[in-house]
Amino acid sequence: MALSIMKKCRILSNLKPYTAFLCKGRNSSSDVLYSLLRRGLVKQIFPSDQTINCTGIPCAYAGFDATADSLHIGNLLVLISLIHWQRAGYETIAVVGDATAEIGDPSGHKSDRKILFHDTVKENAESIEKDLQNIFQNHEKYIFSKAKTKRSLGKLRIMKNSEWYKNTSIIDFIGEAGRNLRVTDMLSRTSVRSRMESGAGINFAEFSYQVFQSYDWMYLLKNYRCKFQFGGNDQLGNIVSGYNLISGSLYQHVYGALLPIVQSETGDKFGKSAGNAVFLSSERTSPFDFYQFFLRIPDAEVNNYLRLFTFLSIEEIEDILHKHLKNPDSRKAQKKIAEEVTLLVHEESGLNLAKTATKILFHSDIESLASLKREDMKHVFPVSNTSEILFEPEMTLLDLTMKVGCFLKKDDAERIICGGGVYLNFKRITSPQFIIIPEHQILPNGISLIRIGKKNYYLVLWK
C-alpha cells in the first residue's frame, strides 16, 4: 500500500532531520525529493533550516562544464538525479557550461586550471551535449517506456550558458551579480580558502567562477522558474553563493540538492583530475570497459550502487539483493547494475557489444568472436594490438606472431609457443611450424585472435 503523505514526511524527517517539507498534494515535488533521499542520491539539502514549499511545478537544473570532450561517472549521478526529477513529471534543465569552462571552477584543484582555448571548449560542449541527449533518450526509450506509471516525463531542456552571456555586457553582469555577493563570503568558500592557505593563491578568473554559477541560477529562475539546483557535495560553496545572490536580489527561496561523490575502493574521487575517470563517451571508455567497471563492484557496494545508479524500485533492489546473497559468486547484483547502467549510457547496441566482449575475453566464446563486427572490434581489442595481414600460403604460427608483433625475437616466440603460452582462436598450439589454414584458422568475419599468456590479445584482420 502506498505511504500516506504525512507518513512520508515523518520518514523524511527521520532520514534528514535538518530539513522539513511542506507537503501539499499527492503529486508534490516532496515525492521525488523523498525518493532521492531514501535512495541516498541526495545527501544534503541547502538551506537546511527552511521549509521547502513543494507546491506548483518546480523546475530543477544541473550544470556540466565543457572542460573535456566527455562526461564521466561522477557526472552520471547528477544526470540520474535530473532524470528522477523528469520522471516525476517536472521540468528539467541540463546546462552545458561552455562559457564557464573558459573561466574554470577551482573546486578540487590545488593550482590554476589549464587554460582551454575557445575552439576546444566549443568542440567539448558539442560532444557533451550529444552525451546528454543520448542518455535522456536512452532512458526514455529503454527504461521509462517499461515503467508502470501513468505519469509522463517532464519537459527537458538542454542549453549552453553562452546563450545568455553572449548578450550580457560586463557592466550589466557586475552591476547585477556583484552587488549582492559579499567578498568576505566568497573568500570563505573551501575551494578559495584552500588555495589561499596553500600559498599558491588563486587567479581572479577562478575566484569569480562562483559569481558565474550564481548568475546561471538566477537567469534560470527568472526565465524558467528554476528553484532547484543539483550538484555534487563539492559544489556546496557555489550553490550557497547562488542562494545568496537570488535571496539578495530577487527575494525568492531556492534550494540546492547535494549528491555524494563517487569514490574508488581506496576512497579517491573518480574524475578527470584524479586520472581514473570512467567516461560516458564510447570513444573514451568502450561499452565493454564501462560494463566491466560496474561488474567489478565489490559486494559491500552493490546495495549502494543499485540505489544510486539504477531506476529500480527499492522493492526490486531488495529482491535482487536477497537472491544475490544466496549465491554471491554468481554476482547477480553486479550483473544487474552493469546491464542497467550500460543500457542507459550506451543503449541496447552498446550493452549487447559489452556482453559479447565479455563472452569473448572471459569465457573464450568462439561463436561470439566469429560474430563480432569489424566496426565494433576497436571497442573490444586495443587498436595498438590490431594488425592487417595479407595471407601467404604455408604461413606458420611463428611467422604470424612475428608479423603481428607479439614478440621481438624469434627465439622468444619459439620458446613461448613450445611452452604452451600461445593460443590461436582460443586453442593452444605448441608447434611454431603449425600451418595457418584459412578454412580452419580464419573465422567467417575474416579475423583471427592470438592470445599470449592469460591477458595479451592480438587481433589479426586478414586482407
Side-chain angles (χ1 to χ4, degrees):
M1 183 180 293
L3 291 171
S4 68
I5 295 298
M6 291 306 296
K7 188 172 182 181
K8 280 186 178 180
C9 288
R10 285 197 297 272
I11 294 175
L12 189 56
S13 179
N14 291 333
L15 282 169
K16 295 291 175 184
Y18 53 77
T19 187
F21 287 81
L22 178 61
C23 303
K24 295 181 179 179
R26 300 188 68 86
N27 293 326
S28 70
S29 57
S30 62
D31 286 352
V32 65
L33 288 169
Y34 161 80
S35 175
L36 294 179
L37 281 165
R38 189 182 178 198
R39 298 178 81 96
L41 261 169
V42 170
K43 290 295 185 182
Q44 182 181 353
I45 294 176
F46 178 86
S48 59
D49 59 348
Q50 290 188 13
T51 296
I52 296 180
N53 191 329
C54 301
T55 57
I57 306 176
C59 169
Y61 97 98
F64 307 90
D65 275 354
T67 54
D69 59 3
S70 174
L71 300 176
H72 53 78
I73 60 165
N75 305 124
L76 185 58
L77 273 192
V78 182
L79 258 175
I80 286 174
S81 297
L82 285 182
I83 293 174
H84 275 289
W85 195 265
Q86 187 195 22
R87 286 166 68 95
Y90 302 130
E91 185 169 358
T92 303
I93 299 177
V95 175
V96 179
D98 56 342
T100 41
E102 296 192 48
I103 304 300
D105 184 357
S107 301
H109 287 259
K110 297 180 180 179
S111 59
D112 290 357
R113 277 180 173 270
K114 181 181 178 181
I115 296 174
L116 295 175
F117 295 106
H118 179 75
D119 288 347
T120 300
V121 171
K122 183 179 178 181
E123 291 174 2
N124 289 347
E126 290 173 354
S127 181
I128 288 174
E129 186 173 17
K130 183 180 178 181
D131 282 349
L132 293 171
Q133 289 171 342
N134 287 341
I135 289 172
F136 278 103
Q137 289 171 2
N138 290 344
H139 163 260
E140 182 173 3
K141 181 177 180 180
Y142 298 110
I143 299 174
F144 188 75
S145 63
K146 298 176 183 177
K148 297 177 181 179
T149 177
K150 295 181 180 179
R151 287 182 178 175
S152 299
L153 288 172
K155 185 173 183 178
L156 169 68
R157 300 177 192 269
I158 299 176
M159 355 178 34
K160 298 185 180 79
N161 59 8
S162 60
E163 292 178 21
W164 48 89
Y165 286 115
K166 64 184 178 184
N167 296 320
T168 303
S169 74
I170 186 65
I171 300 300
D172 291 341
F173 174 74
I174 295 296
E176 186 172 13
R179 294 187 187 280
N180 291 289
L181 290 173
R182 313 308 298 176
V183 173
T184 49
D185 292 336
M186 294 172 67
L187 286 168
S188 70
R189 303 290 176 246
T190 301
S191 59
V192 175
R193 191 175 67 250
S194 61
R195 290 271 284 273
M196 299 292 286
E197 292 174 352
S198 70
I202 185 170
N203 63 60
F204 177 74
E206 292 185 33
F207 175 70
S208 68
Y209 180 90
Q210 56 186 296
V211 183
F212 284 87
Q213 185 166 327
S214 302
Y215 189 87
D216 286 350
W217 197 357
M218 184 169 70
Y219 176 88
L220 294 172
L221 177 65
K222 284 181 176 181
N223 291 276
Y224 303 102
R225 297 183 298 170
C226 202
K227 291 188 174 184
F228 292 85
Q229 180 182 174
F230 286 95
N233 272 338
D234 59 350
Q235 291 298 305
L236 176 59
N238 294 331
I239 288 174
V240 171
S241 292
Y243 173 85
N244 290 339
L245 174 60
I246 291 168
S247 299
S249 59
L250 302 180
Y251 309 104
Q252 293 196 41
H253 292 299
V254 290
Y255 314 95
L258 298 169
L259 283 63
I261 302 296
V262 183
Q263 296 179 326
S264 66
E265 291 181 63
T266 58
D268 297 320
K269 174 183 174 181
F270 278 106
K272 300 185 296 295
S273 302
N276 59 357
V278 178
F279 290 98
L280 307 188
S281 167
S282 61
E283 298 302 318
R284 296 290 297 271
T285 299
S286 71
F288 166 70
D289 289 330
F290 187 87
Y291 180 86
Q292 286 296 316
F293 169 82
F294 288 96
L295 206 59
R296 291 192 298 266
I297 294 168
D299 284 348
E301 292 291 336
V302 292
N303 181 23
N304 190 37
Y305 272 65
L306 278 167
R307 290 169 182 261
L308 294 178
F309 285 99
T310 78
F311 296 95
L312 301 170
S313 68
I314 299 298
E315 292 72 25
E316 287 175 304
I317 290 171
E318 289 174 349
D319 182 57
I320 291 168
L321 291 173
H322 178 71
K323 293 176 181 176
H324 174 81
L325 290 173
K326 286 184 176 180
N327 183 16
D329 290 341
S330 67
R331 303 184 73 78
K332 287 184 181 293
Q334 285 93 338
K335 288 178 182 177
K336 188 63 176 177
I337 297 167
E339 288 173 0
E340 292 288 319
V341 186
T342 305
L343 183 64
L344 175 67
V345 175
H346 294 295
E347 66 179 320
E348 200 167 59
S349 61
L351 175 58
N352 291 337
L353 175 59
K355 287 183 173 181
T356 297
T358 300
K359 290 178 181 178
I360 292 171
L361 297 177
F362 291 96
H363 303 289
S364 301
D365 190 321
I366 191 66
E367 291 184 5
S368 295
L369 179 62
S371 67
L372 191 64
K373 297 178 181 178
R374 287 212 174 194
E375 60 265 28
D376 292 332
M377 292 174 186
K378 65 180 180 179
H379 296 305
V380 181
F381 303 102
V383 175
S384 59
N385 286 2
T386 300
S387 304
E388 289 192 20
I389 301 295
L390 180 65
F391 178 78
E392 299 173 4
E394 303 298 314
M395 180 181 287
T396 66
L397 179 62
L398 177 62
D399 296 331
L400 180 60
T401 57
M402 294 305 295
K403 282 179 176 291
V404 171
C406 301
F407 304 101
L408 296 176
K409 298 179 180 179
K410 278 193 174 183
D411 290 347
D412 293 335
E414 290 177 336
R415 175 174 52 82
I416 294 175
I417 293 173
C418 291
V422 176
Y423 298 76
L424 183 61
N425 296 338
F426 304 123
K427 291 183 179 180
R428 178 184 282 162
I429 299 175
T430 57
S431 171
Q433 300 308 315
F434 178 87
I435 301 296
I436 306 299
I437 301 174
E439 292 78 10
H440 298 292
Q441 277 76 51
I442 299 179
L443 298 176
N445 51 358
I447 69 169
S448 297
L449 183 65
I450 302 170
R451 192 182 89 204
I452 310 298
K454 292 183 178 180
K455 295 182 179 180
N456 296 314
Y457 290 91
Y458 295 84
L459 184 66
V460 180
L461 306 179
W462 294 100
K463 292 182 182 181

